[in-house]
Amino acid sequence: MSLISPQVSAFDTRVTAYLQRLERTMDAVLPAASTDPARLHEAIRYACEGGKHLRALMVYAAGETLAVAPEKLDAAACAVELIHAYSLVHDDLPGMDNDDLRRGRPTVHKAYDEATAILVGDALQTSAFEALATTNALDAEQKVRMITALAHASGSLGMVGGQAVDMASENLTLTLAQLESLHARKTGALILVTCQLAAIAANASETVRNALDRYGRCIGLAFQIQDDVLDQIADTATLGKTAGKDLAQHKSTFPSLLGLEQAQQRANDLFDEARDAARSISGNADPLLWLADHIQQRKH
Amino acid sequence: MSLISPQVSAFDTRVTAYLQRLERTMDAVLPAASTDPARLHEAIRYACEGGKHLRALMVYAAGETLAVAPEKLDAAACAVELIHAYSLVHDDLPGMDNDDLRRGRPTVHKAYDEATAILVGDALQTSAFEALATTNALDAEQKVRMITALAHASGSLGMVGGQAVDMASENLTLTLAQLESLHARKTGALILVTCQLAAIAANASETVRNALDRYGRCIGLAFQIQDDVLDQIADTATLGKTAGKDLAQHKSTFPSLLGLEQAQQRANDLFDEARDAARSISGNADPLLWLADHIQQRKH
C-alpha cells in the first residue's frame, strides 16, 4: 500500500512538470547572468529565484482544465511571475517596506544595492510584457489581449494602486470592506489575471470566463487572509520573510478585524467557493481543485 | 516682410499639432487625477507634466515623413513619453541620482514621497505598454511589434542596462567607445525606437527602416553629446534640472574626453549625418530635417 495518496501524487507530478516549463521559459526570456551589464543581469536572475510560483501554477492549472496546450501558457505563466518578482523587489526597498529578507535570503537591495534593486524591478516588469509579445505559441490577438489584461491587473488600478492604498492605510483601522478592496487590488488582481490569461489562451466562452474569474477572486482573497494569519502565527524561518510585520506596521489585517478563528473560517469558506466555481466549468477540474487544496494547506 | 521664416513657422505649427495630439492621448490613457487612489494618480500626472517631448515629436515627424495617418502614431508617441517619464522619476530617486529638481519643479519624491515615486514610475511603465495594447488605430500585429521594440529599447539590454552601466562608471575614465556604448543604451535606445515605431506604423520597407535607424542613431548620440555640453555650460535655471552634475558625480562626458569645442563639432557632424539619412528616404523629409534643426538649437 502506498503512503502517498494517488491524488496528491498526480498533483505533485503536475506541479513538477509546470515548474519545469516555467523555469525553461524564464531562462529563455531573461538574458544570461553573464550578459553585459553582468551585475544587473545576475541580480535580475537572483530576484527570480526561490518562491512558490503559485501564480504560474494557477495559469497552468486553469489552462489544463480548459485543455489548452501547455506551450500556449508558458509566456503567461512566466509573465505573471516576472511581475510578481518585480513587485517584491520594489516593495522591499528602503523607501517602501525596507525589508532585509525575502524567500529566506537577503532582499535584492541588501544582496546588491538600492539602485540596482530599482533597476532590477524596472527590467523585470519590461521582461514580463516582452515575454508575452515575443512568444511564438500565441497569435497576435491573444498576445494583445494578454498584455492588456496583465497591464490592467498590475498597474495603478490594480497591484500598484493596491500597494499605494496599503501604505496610506498604515496606522488606520479599516472596515472589512475597505480591507477586501485593498487586497483585491494589491494581491487579488494579479492572482485573478492568471485565470484570465488561461481563458485568453483557450479562447474561452463568457460562461467559462465568469466561472474562472470567480475561482480566481476566491483564491486571491483566501490567499491574502491566509497570508495575514501566517504573518501572525508563523515564525520568520518558516515564512522566509519577516514575520509579525503587520502588527509592527500597525496594519489592519483580517485577523485583527475578524479574530484569528473567524479569519481562518472565512478563508476556508472561500476555498470551498473556489472549488464550487472550478467544478462548474466543463472540463477536467482536478488541477484547479488540487491547486486549491495545495494553497489551503500552505505553511508559508 | 515676415520676421519669421516660413520654414520655422511651418514647423512650429506642426509641433503645436503634434503636442496637442500627445496631450489628448496621455489624458485618455492615464486615469484622472481624482481616480482612487487619488494621490497616486495625481502624482502620475505630475510626473508627465512639462518636458520637451522630443521623443513624441520624433515619432510624429518620422511618421509624417512616411505619410502615416497621425492617429496610428498617437499610442507610440504617448508610450515613449511614458517610458521616458518613468525613467526620470526613478533616476531622480534618493537611491539613484538623488535629485531635487526636474523640469524646473520638485522631483516626484520631493513633491510627494519616495514610496509614491517608486510606484509612479512602476505605473507609468505599465501604462506605456497598455497604451500600445489598447489603441484602436493599429492592428494586433503592429501592436505586438511595437511592444516588442519598446520593451527591447527600454529593458536591461537598452535604457535600464545603460543606466546600470552609467552608475557603475562613476569615478572611472571611459574610452570614447565605452562612453558611446553607454549612451547608445541609456538615452540612444529610446530615441532610436521612436523611428522604429513610426516605421512599424507605416509597415515600412527594410531600406526605409535602415535609413530611419541611421537618423535615429545620429540624433540619439548628438542629443547626448549636447546634454553633456549643456550640463557643463548652462545654468540650473535654464536647464530646469541641476547643472554641473556630471562633474560633481565624476562622470566621463563627451566634453571631458574630447574637449568642449570638439564635442560640439562631433554633435554638429552627427546632426548633418542625420539630415543626410532623412533626405535619403523617399517621402517628405521636411519634418525630420526641421526636427534635427530644432534639437540642434536647443538650450536646455
Side-chain angles (χ1 to χ4, degrees):
Chain A
M1 167 193 143
S2 169
L3 291 178
I4 305 166
S5 86
Q7 281 206 353
V8 170
S9 169
F11 181 63
D12 285 353
T13 308
R14 271 191 170 79
V15 167
T16 306
Y18 293 163
L19 292 182
Q20 278 170 349
R21 296 198 72 93
L22 174 67
E23 199 176 325
R24 258 202 319 268
T25 311
M26 292 273 251
D27 197 49
V29 165
L30 298 176
S34 57
T35 306
D36 177 43
R39 192 158 183 278
L40 177 70
H41 287 115
E42 193 192 294
I44 285 173
R45 287 181 167 253
Y46 178 88
C48 295
E49 286 162 15
K52 300 176 288 291
H53 303 306
L54 287 179
R55 289 156 191 80
L57 296 182
M58 284 187 69
V59 172
Y60 284 118
E64 193 178 342
T65 289
L66 305 184
V68 180
E71 60 269 23
K72 289 184 188 293
L73 304 165
D74 290 335
C78 177
V80 290
E81 288 297 331
L82 291 171
I83 292 283
H84 180 54
Y86 117 64
S87 76
L88 298 181
V89 174
H90 280 187
D91 283 2
D92 288 336
L93 282 169
M96 300 267 279
D97 282 356
N98 193 20
D99 220 318
D100 296 352
L101 198 65
R102 172 68 68 180
R103 296 173 171 173
R105 303 192 307 172
T107 47
V108 176
H109 66 273
K110 280 286 168 186
Y112 294 85
D113 57 75
E114 197 178 333
T116 300
I118 295 168
L119 295 175
V120 163
D122 290 344
L124 285 172
Q125 179 177 182
T126 315
S127 295
F129 293 109
E130 196 168 17
L132 290 174
T134 57
T135 176
N136 293 322
L138 300 168
D139 62 43
E141 283 289 349
Q142 289 174 313
K143 293 178 185 187
V144 168
R145 288 173 63 200
M146 286 193 185
I147 290 164
T148 302
L150 187 63
H152 188 79
S154 58
S156 69
L157 300 176
M159 183 184 75
V160 164
Q163 179 67 12
V165 174
D166 191 30
M167 288 186 328
S169 305
E170 282 179 24
N171 302 311
L172 297 179
T173 303
L174 303 183
T175 65
L176 188 60
Q178 287 172 324
L179 189 64
E180 289 196 3
S181 157
L182 185 172
H183 287 301
R185 285 178 273 183
K186 189 185 171 192
T187 52
L190 196 60
I191 291 177
L192 173 59
V193 85
T194 63
C195 295
Q196 296 171 336
L197 296 176
I200 293 167
N203 295 318
S205 70
E206 197 186 336
T207 311
V208 169
R209 289 203 307 272
N210 288 343
L212 265 181
D213 273 9
R214 197 169 132 231
Y215 177 89
R217 273 182 228 281
C218 290
I219 294 284
L221 183 54
F223 180 85
Q224 185 57 48
I225 297 174
Q226 247 190 341
D227 234 40
D228 286 1
V229 168
L230 290 170
D231 180 78
Q232 192 171 321
I233 65 174
D235 57 28
T236 297
T238 308
L239 285 183
K241 60 184 179 184
T242 314
K245 249 171 65 173
D246 297 331
L247 198 64
Q249 292 178 340
H250 306 284
K251 282 192 179 173
S252 292
T253 65
F254 290 97
S256 78
L257 293 187
L258 295 174
L260 198 58
E261 206 171 316
Q262 284 275 359
Q264 274 174 322
Q265 186 55 52
R266 176 99 174 92
N268 289 338
D269 291 347
L270 285 162
F271 281 118
D272 285 342
E273 193 188 333
R275 281 184 281 258
D276 277 349
R279 280 189 208 99
S280 77
I281 300 168
S282 71
N284 172 17
D286 284 349
L288 288 176
L289 296 174
W290 294 337
L291 190 60
D293 295 347
H294 176 71
I295 297 173
Q296 192 167 15
Q297 288 152 19
R298 76 192 176 107
K299 298 283 172 260
H300 63 94
Chain B
M1 167 192 143
S2 168
L3 291 176
I4 305 166
S5 86
Q7 282 206 351
V8 170
S9 169
F11 181 63
D12 285 352
T13 308
R14 270 191 171 80
V15 166
T16 305
Y18 293 163
L19 292 182
Q20 278 170 350
R21 297 198 72 93
L22 174 67
E23 200 176 324
R24 257 201 322 267
T25 311
M26 292 273 249
D27 196 49
V29 165
L30 299 176
S34 57
T35 305
D36 178 43
R39 191 159 184 278
L40 177 69
H41 287 115
E42 193 191 294
I44 284 172
R45 286 181 168 252
Y46 178 87
C48 295
E49 286 162 16
K52 301 175 287 290
H53 303 304
L54 286 179
R55 290 156 191 80
L57 296 182
M58 283 187 70
V59 172
Y60 285 118
E64 193 178 342
T65 290
L66 304 183
V68 180
E71 61 269 23
K72 289 184 189 292
L73 304 165
D74 290 334
C78 176
V80 290
E81 289 296 331
L82 290 171
I83 292 284
H84 180 55
Y86 117 65
S87 76
L88 297 181
V89 174
H90 280 187
D91 284 3
D92 287 336
L93 283 169
M96 300 265 281
D97 281 357
N98 193 21
D99 221 317
D100 296 352
L101 198 65
R102 171 69 67 182
R103 295 172 171 172
R105 302 192 308 170
T107 48
V108 176
H109 67 274
K110 280 286 168 187
Y112 293 85
D113 57 76
E114 197 178 334
T116 299
I118 295 168
L119 295 175
V120 163
D122 290 344
L124 285 171
Q125 179 177 181
T126 315
S127 296
F129 292 109
E130 198 168 15
L132 290 173
T134 57
T135 177
N136 293 321
L138 300 167
D139 62 42
E141 282 290 349
Q142 288 174 315
K143 292 178 185 188
V144 167
R145 288 173 63 200
M146 285 193 185
I147 290 164
T148 303
L150 186 63
H152 187 79
S154 59
S156 69
L157 301 176
M159 183 185 75
V160 164
Q163 178 66 12
V165 174
D166 191 30
M167 289 186 327
S169 304
E170 282 178 25
N171 302 312
L172 297 180
T173 302
L174 303 182
T175 64
L176 187 61
Q178 286 173 325
L179 189 64
E180 289 197 3
S181 157
L182 186 172
H183 287 301
R185 286 180 272 184
K186 190 185 170 191
T187 52
L190 196 60
I191 291 177
L192 172 59
V193 85
T194 63
C195 294
Q196 295 171 335
L197 296 176
I200 293 167
N203 295 318
S205 70
E206 197 186 335
T207 312
V208 169
R209 290 203 307 274
N210 288 343
L212 265 181
D213 274 9
R214 196 170 133 233
Y215 177 89
R217 273 182 228 282
C218 290
I219 294 284
L221 183 54
F223 180 85
Q224 185 57 48
I225 296 174
Q226 245 189 343
D227 234 39
D228 286 1
V229 168
L230 289 170
D231 180 79
Q232 192 171 320
I233 64 174
D235 57 28
T236 297
T238 308
L239 285 182
K241 60 183 179 183
T242 313
K245 251 170 67 174
D246 297 331
L247 199 65
Q249 292 177 341
H250 306 285
K251 283 191 179 174
S252 293
T253 65
F254 290 97
S256 78
L257 293 188
L258 295 174
L260 200 58
E261 204 171 319
Q262 285 275 0
Q264 275 175 321
Q265 186 56 52
R266 175 100 175 91
N268 290 338
D269 291 347
L270 285 161
F271 281 117
D272 285 341
E273 192 187 333
R275 280 185 280 259
D276 278 349
R279 281 190 208 98
S280 78
I281 300 167
S282 69
N284 172 15
D286 284 348
L288 288 175
L289 296 174
W290 293 337
L291 190 61
D293 295 347
H294 176 71
I295 297 173
Q296 191 168 15
Q297 287 152 20
R298 76 190 176 108
K299 297 281 172 262
H300 63 93

